[in-house]
Amino acid sequence: MAITFNQVSYEYDANSMWSQAALQGVNLHLESGILAGVAGATGSGKSTLLQMFNGILKPTSGTVQVLDITLKGGEKAPKLHQLRKRVGLVFQFPEQQLFEDTVEKDLCFGPINFGYSLEEAKDRARRAMEQMGLDLSLLSRNPFQLSGGQMRKVAIASVLTMDPEILVLDEPTATLDPVSRAELIQLLHRLCREDGRTVIIVTHRMDELLPFANQWIVLHEGLTVFQGTVKALIEQADRMESYGITIPQSIRYWRSLSEKFGWSEEDPCLSAEAMSKRIAHLVNSEDV
Amino acid sequence: MSEKLLIGRTIDTGSWVHSIDPRAKMVAMMLYVVIIILSNTWLEMAYVILFSLIIISLTRIHIKYFIRAAKPLWVLMLFIFIVQCIKVDDKNGAILLSIGSWNLYFEGFKLGLFSVLRMVFLVSFTAILTFTTTPGRLNQGLEGVLKPLKVVRVSPDRFTLMVSIALRFIPSILEEAQIILKAQASRGADLRELPWKEKGKMLVSLLVPVTVGAFRRAEDLVHSMESRGFRLGEPRTKYHRLVWRKRDTIFICFFIVMLVAMVWMSGYGTGELWTL
């Protein structure tokens, strides 16, 4: 049991004239070791939800349980140092969070805060750079001289250096080029599948995450309106439009084909490759 | 951070005061400053307080916001109070407290209290201006009020453009700083959990990225304004135009009447008993 939200509400500027409810009674439950996607229209509370996973925002009411730490609304929070080590959070536009004067220092910031020696931190920095497919020569550069895409990758690497059990990312692929986007999603998938980490990704491009995610959460106006597997999501896809999300192309495609050929019992093929193989299989077997 | 920042936030209750021309409000606030400086006796102060409370209640904004507006200045107020207490050396006056060779006189205590009261009302009351006026209108009002400066060749639109950009940047820069702070907290350096020395270091480390961000933002802004044909000093049509109405004159008249009353009272020294 990795993450459980029970009737979690959050208000910005609580107790003032400007208070704004961002989440109102969110319930969700995520097992460890899964790759989860979070979708929702703009302003549905996705970013707020993510910041609760490591206690950056504390619930106004309700209970958030992450690993073995519980945060209750209205109560004083326990020390969150350990939680932050185990839950890595990559914010939206992560390139805005770089602040040191070299890439290496920025990458070492996290590990050093969590008590690793400088040597070990540097070692981790190097590994994270390699994981993100960045050239090691960038380590000595000033992060503000990097290109937008490189800055973003460095920022994600800076969270990977902490070796978190749960990795939470807020639209990590936005503004990246298509190749980097695909690579990043594959890397995150690998972190989940091979290292057994829990990965939670907020995305506006459901299509790129659909082939990999095994759980989906859909938010609408601060409420969880859907939580379940991809299969369940496909079944309920018609509801999505009322939540301000266009039905992803891959789901539309799969649905129209599976209805026609009666594939509803099969595992959905949601990537272009899987789909083309399935169609090839169909074509070959029926001797068209 | 943003929760505590009350300056420059508009609280819309749609009251009569909200609809007043910003130029009228600015002139009124200047008059108010004169009024409060002129009030020298407790009686006059009582009138000023009554007057202030009436205007404040007209805004239909809860009084707690006005009190909160004065809160950040408590250090300054304490300082003024202490200085007044130390300064007054009234050999014949009643002594409140003696520490060694230094005496706290009743007069000094009274004067200190009076100054603090003045300060509280000055800050809280002038908050009406920002509470009831949106930044855009405020800026237009400023431009209007500064028009006379054209005579001495100071361009008011240059000045107001500067002010409006500065005001526009405050929330963005704060937000940017907050993003970095949050990201740093996620990487194990939570400002709330750090010892004081580390806290200072962290805040200093914020300076570079926030400054870089501000410059980047300013550059983007310049380009986007230029690409839309903005040229400083060129005549422009206004999207919202300020129209002076009867109520604006009435609003200013309140303050003029109050000011005349103050001048009259201090001139005749009414109520000897009440003087400080």
Side-chain angles (χ1 to χ4, degrees), chain A residues 56-259:
Chain A
I56 291 286
L57 298 179
K58 291 163 194 93
T60 315
S61 67
T63 7
V64 173
Q65 201 176 339
V66 181
L67 300 167
D68 49 5
I69 293 158
T70 310
L71 297 172
K72 262 205 185 91
E75 276 179 24
K76 205 174 163 349
K79 286 261 179 195
L80 297 168
H81 203 67
Q82 274 311 305
L83 180 64
R84 303 243 162 102
K85 181 175 184 287
R86 296 167 68 187
V87 182
L89 178 57
V90 180
F91 285 87
Q92 213 167 0
F93 312 119
E95 56 272 24
Q96 284 175 3
Q97 70 191 41
L98 301 169
F99 67 101
E100 292 280 16
D101 48 8
T102 68
V103 170
E104 186 170 39
K105 271 194 198 166
D106 215 291
L107 289 174
C108 291
F109 181 77
I112 286 175
N113 281 328
F114 292 118
Y116 293 103
S117 68
L118 187 63
E119 283 312 303
E120 202 168 350
K122 281 185 175 174
D123 195 47
R124 279 165 177 258
R126 235 161 281 138
R127 252 184 295 154
M129 289 287 275
E130 276 162 6
Q131 270 182 319
M132 287 307 298
L134 288 163
D135 199 87
L136 288 182
S137 65
L138 293 179
L139 277 173
S140 56
R141 292 267 289 277
N142 185 315
F144 299 108
Q145 291 168 346
L146 303 179
S147 75
Q150 283 172 326
M151 274 165 94
R152 175 161 293 229
K153 285 183 184 173
V154 166
I156 296 172
S158 74
V159 172
L160 289 182
T161 52
M162 306 187 312
D163 199 14
E165 287 165 50
I166 300 176
L167 193 58
V168 186
L169 304 101
D170 197 349
E171 298 204 40
T173 59
T175 73
L176 284 182
D177 60 281
V179 177
S180 306
R181 264 207 313 263
E183 275 173 8
L184 180 59
I185 292 290
Q186 263 155 25
L187 165 75
L188 293 171
H189 184 221
R190 214 163 49 233
L191 286 174
C192 171
R193 199 188 46 211
E194 288 168 15
D195 305 350
R197 283 177 233 263
T198 314
V199 180
I200 301 158
I201 304 170
V202 163
T203 183
H204 266 303
R205 304 170 196 264
M206 292 175 77
D207 270 316
E208 66 188 14
L209 200 57
L210 273 166
F212 305 106
N214 27 33
Q215 279 278 315
W216 279 93
I217 296 163
V218 179
L219 287 180
H220 179 61
E221 288 175 355
L223 283 167
T224 33
V225 285
F226 173 84
Q227 196 205 333
T229 58
V230 182
K231 255 192 168 168
L233 186 74
I234 292 172
E235 276 162 28
Q236 301 184 24
D238 291 326
R239 274 166 49 201
M240 266 196 254
E241 300 218 301
S242 63
Y243 304 137
I245 308 168
T246 39
I247 302 173
Q249 227 167 5
S250 51
I251 289 188
R252 257 185 294 163
Y253 218 80
W254 171 255
R255 284 218 309 183
S256 62
L257 284 181
S258 70
E259 264 166 39

Side-chain angles (χ1 to χ4, degrees), chain B residues 33 37 59 64 68 72 105 109 128 154 161 178 186-187 207-208 218 229-230 241 248 254 271:
Chain B
V33 173
I37 289 170
T59 65
K64 75 177 181 201
R68 238 187 264 168
Y105 295 96
F109 181 75
I128 285 184
V154 178
L161 179 71
Q178 216 162 20
S186 312
R187 289 200 273 158
L207 281 177
V208 176
F230 180 83
R241 295 177 74 171
D248 305 319
F254 281 168

